[in-house]
Amino acid sequence: MTTRHCFVLRVRPNRLAEYTERHRAVWPEMLAALRDAGWDSYSLFLGADGLLVGHVETDDLPVAQAAMEATEVNARWQAEMAPFFTDLDGRTPDAGLLLLPEVFHLPTALAAAALTTTTNRSNGDTVSTEILPTRHERALGGLRAQRIELPSWAFGNAGTRFKVFTSPGTPRDPWEKIADAATVHRFTGVAPTVSVHIPWDRVSDYAELARHAADRGVQIGAVNANVFQDDAYRLGSVCNPDPAVRAKALAHLLDCVDVMDATGSRDLKLWFADGTNYPGQDNIRARQDRLSEALAATYARLGPDQRMLLEYKLFEPSFYTMDVPDWGTSFAHCLALGERAQVVVDTGHHAPGTNIEMIVAILLRAGKLGGFDFNSRFYADDDLMVGAADPFQLFRILHEVVAGGGLDDATGVAFMLDQCHNIEEKIPAQIRSVMNVQEATAKALLVDATALADAQRGGDVLAANAVLMDAYNTDVRPMLAEVRESQGLHPDPMAAYAASGYSEQIVVNRVGGDQAGWGA
Ligand code: LRH
Ligand code: MN
């Protein structure tokens, strides 16, 4: 027999809006868990003073509560929600809530008074579903909140070992690279940060570089260390058998944290070219010991709000072993370091055929997905425009991101591009890349999570696959045009950029000097 229950909690006054916002898009798997645990017609009401009143109807509350406590998603959700509340004294919200006794229930009182319970009002009192945000509205919200970080090096000359092509108008220094990145943000509205690479973006005053960026409406994002281009690093950097070389490499990593302090960056991004080319060349285990020693020393230098993002790569430039070859090795080092060490998934760094979205789901589940280096490839680390080579794979990855709560700011996933535009014009290529991520995200946000969960629970393989394909086959370009117009932007950023004259302007202005590149 259904019973009604009411409880109270208190939300911190300075977090009311955020609390409300979070409840506009509760994780679909959390919604499904509540439904499956029998939390029927569950509502929350929030007062301006932070008083939160919960009302739920269920057959047996202790059973319904125990069913939720048994789910992994509930543990994650409660951990996310706990900071919103006062007076929990270390308990989780669902342990700290205060149940109130019911003192009045109309149908019960009507029955007791032998009065009819059926209404005779003309319009009836059914709750119309119109008030629930539609999937379209939720997707619009997710797309407006999306943030994609651009790589400064994508605006410079890049290439392959065979040829690095130059092109007129290419930036000559970090200042011009940031100006170009700001231009991409101006037309897309969702790329407000630029990751830098040291020494490619070395300047004498990093605070001034950050001000230069801010004046153009963007911020300096992740700081990438570079211990792969100095002659000293022939046999590796932090894993090198020579302690003097290791010390040199560590000094650079610590210098990069100084840069973060100056630019206000949260993330230190580490990718190591370290590895060996021949069996026996070095002791695989000893190199892991050297790596963890350098990572620990760097982690200890980080400020409380700073993170370390450890990127892995299967091969190149080392071909027998890479010291951080896969997600598992990065994950193991990050676990050993602490919660501010997270894994970066560069979509070009896996063996062909690797199910990258499964790695994403596993890392999100473990709370260790720090970010992405988005690009695409046909064979190796081609660093082509994200979504260009395999848009369906990008959709599958974003589907796992959305399903795992990875779009929520609180999850802290950094969506970064890491690309090289060897032959195509760089700024429009970055704009197109941002649009490709937006399109894949929009399709992922349109997945009917309830229908999918139902089909999966029912073992209906074809129906479950069809739910995903319906979303993937949805043309989301009109919806993205709607998002851009609602942000005061031109619906087609590529057309807007082409019409802006910026491309011609930089060719005229940037004459002389050395064009920026990887300096390899
Ligand atoms: C290595 C990598 C790494 C960067 C570099 C630009 O292949 O993906 O993220 O430092 O490219
Ligand atoms: Mn990368």
Side-chain angles (χ1 to χ4, degrees):
M1 206 252 317
T2 297
T3 53
R4 294 164 301 283
H5 302 277
C6 178
F7 60 80
V8 292
L9 281 161
R10 189 161 296 277
V11 177
R12 297 180 190 286
N14 64 343
R15 305 196 66 181
L16 299 181
E18 196 185 346
Y19 184 83
T20 304
E21 190 53 33
R22 290 297 308 272
H23 284 77
R24 289 199 198 297
V26 174
W27 306 331
E29 53 181 320
M30 182 63 183
L31 297 175
L34 284 164
R35 182 200 53 221
D36 299 348
W39 286 63
D40 305 332
S41 81
Y42 176 23
S43 303
L44 293 169
F45 304 85
L46 180 61
D49 62 352
L51 175 66
L52 181 78
V53 177
H55 170 263
V56 59
E57 294 187 4
T58 183
D59 296 345
D60 183 318
L61 186 62
V63 170
Q65 287 177 308
M68 280 310 291
E69 275 149 31
T71 67
E72 180 274 332
V73 67
N74 183 59
R76 265 190 301 124
W77 182 258
Q78 298 302 329
E80 292 241 339
M81 288 299 112
F84 282 91
F85 295 102
T86 64
D87 315 323
L88 284 182
D89 310 325
R91 289 166 300 171
T92 60
D94 56 2
L97 55 83
L98 174 65
L99 281 168
L100 302 180
E102 182 185 69
V103 294
F104 176 73
H105 178 237
L106 178 58
T108 310
L110 282 167
L115 293 171
T116 170
T117 56
T118 48
T119 171
N120 57 13
R121 279 206 315 275
S122 61
N123 63 356
D125 61 351
T126 54
V127 175
S128 71
T129 55
E130 269 76 40
I131 64 172
L132 292 174
T134 64
R135 212 169 322 124
H136 181 89
E137 284 158 353
R138 261 207 310 276
L140 291 175
L143 293 167
R144 288 197 191 98
Q146 185 161 44
R147 296 290 172 268
I148 299 163
E149 181 159 309
L150 307 180
S152 67
W153 54 96
F155 299 96
N157 289 327
T160 69
R161 58 187 169 171
F162 301 104
K163 173 66 179 169
V164 173
F165 296 98
T166 62
S167 47
T170 293
R172 282 89 46 100
D173 55 44
W175 314 94
E176 292 178 346
K177 287 187 229 177
I178 287 174
D180 291 357
T183 302
V184 173
H185 181 50
R186 180 152 59 92
F187 291 105
T188 62
V190 293
T193 55
V194 191
S195 32
V196 295
H197 220 296
I198 310 300
W200 299 338
D201 298 310
R202 177 171 287 148
V203 294
S204 54
D205 182 343
Y206 286 102
E208 191 196 348
L209 189 69
R211 284 191 295 278
H212 167 82
D215 293 348
R216 286 155 185 74
V218 293
Q219 289 178 310
I220 306 286
V223 172
N224 287 261
N226 178 336
V227 284
F228 52 86
Q229 288 187 310
D230 192 297
D231 287 339
Y233 300 143
R234 181 171 63 86
L235 299 177
S237 63
V238 294
C239 305
N240 195 296
D242 178 344
V245 175
R246 298 203 294 271
K248 172 186 170 69
L250 177 58
H252 173 71
L253 303 187
L254 300 177
D255 286 349
C256 287
V257 183
D258 297 341
V259 172
M260 292 163 69
D261 293 344
T263 58
S265 298
R266 173 191 64 176
D267 294 339
L268 172 69
K269 182 151 149 292
L270 301 179
W271 171 71
F272 298 102
D274 290 45
T276 63
N277 275 356
Y278 298 97
Q281 173 186 330
D282 198 351
N283 180 312
I284 293 173
R285 185 173 173 143
R287 292 178 73 92
Q288 290 299 308
D289 295 341
R290 298 163 197 159
L291 174 62
S292 67
E293 197 184 308
L295 292 175
T298 308
Y299 189 83
R301 166 69 185 80
L302 293 176
D305 303 326
Q306 296 176 329
R307 303 189 307 174
M308 174 187 286
L309 304 183
L310 182 57
E311 185 176 355
Y312 58 87
K313 184 173 181 177
L314 184 64
F315 73 96
E316 188 205 40
S318 303
F319 297 104
Y320 172 54
T321 65
M322 289 285 282
D323 292 302
V324 189
D326 54 24
W327 74 272
T329 308
S330 174
F331 183 60
H333 282 288
C334 291
L335 273 181
L337 289 161
E339 65 174 10
R340 286 179 292 106
Q342 304 259 327
V343 179
V344 167
V345 175
D346 183 312
T347 47
H349 287 188
H350 306 82
T354 300
N355 186 327
I356 299 174
E357 60 269 25
M358 180 157 186
I359 296 171
V360 169
I362 291 169
L363 289 172
L364 265 173
R365 182 175 177 277
K368 276 293 182 193
L369 179 65
F372 288 95
D373 263 7
F374 278 136
N375 49 60
S376 72
R377 52 81 172 275
F378 291 102
Y379 298 100
D381 189 14
D382 308 351
D383 280 344
L384 300 172
M385 289 191 295
V386 58
D390 188 345
F392 185 43
Q393 180 191 54
L394 182 61
F395 162 74
R396 299 195 312 265
I397 290 171
L398 268 296
H399 168 59
E400 292 304 333
V401 167
V402 170
L407 279 187
D408 300 338
D409 277 352
T411 315
V413 177
F415 298 91
M416 302 171 283
L417 302 184
D418 177 5
Q419 297 174 179
C420 307
H421 303 301
N422 302 351
I423 58 174
E424 68 271 27
E425 201 186 335
K426 304 169 194 316
I427 296 169
Q430 285 283 298
I431 293 175
R432 179 70 257 172
S433 302
V434 168
M435 294 168 69
N436 286 355
V437 175
Q438 288 183 299
E439 287 172 19
T441 307
K443 292 175 186 240
L445 286 165
L446 288 177
V447 170
D448 182 340
T450 308
L452 182 63
D454 289 348
Q456 289 168 341
R457 204 180 27 265
D460 190 335
V461 175
L462 292 177
N465 176 253
V467 171
L468 232 62
M469 296 316 290
D470 287 349
Y472 178 64
N473 293 322
T474 304
D475 181 356
V476 293
R477 292 171 291 185
M479 177 182 199
L480 282 163
E482 182 186 345
V483 168
R484 294 181 187 118
E485 280 163 341
S486 73
Q487 295 170 318
L489 297 169
H490 188 288
D492 178 353
M494 293 291 274
Y497 174 73
S500 73
Y502 186 86
S503 184
E504 295 76 12
Q505 190 194 320
I506 55 179
V507 170
V508 171
N509 297 349
R510 296 176 181 171
V511 177
D514 299 325
Q515 294 190 343
W518 282 31

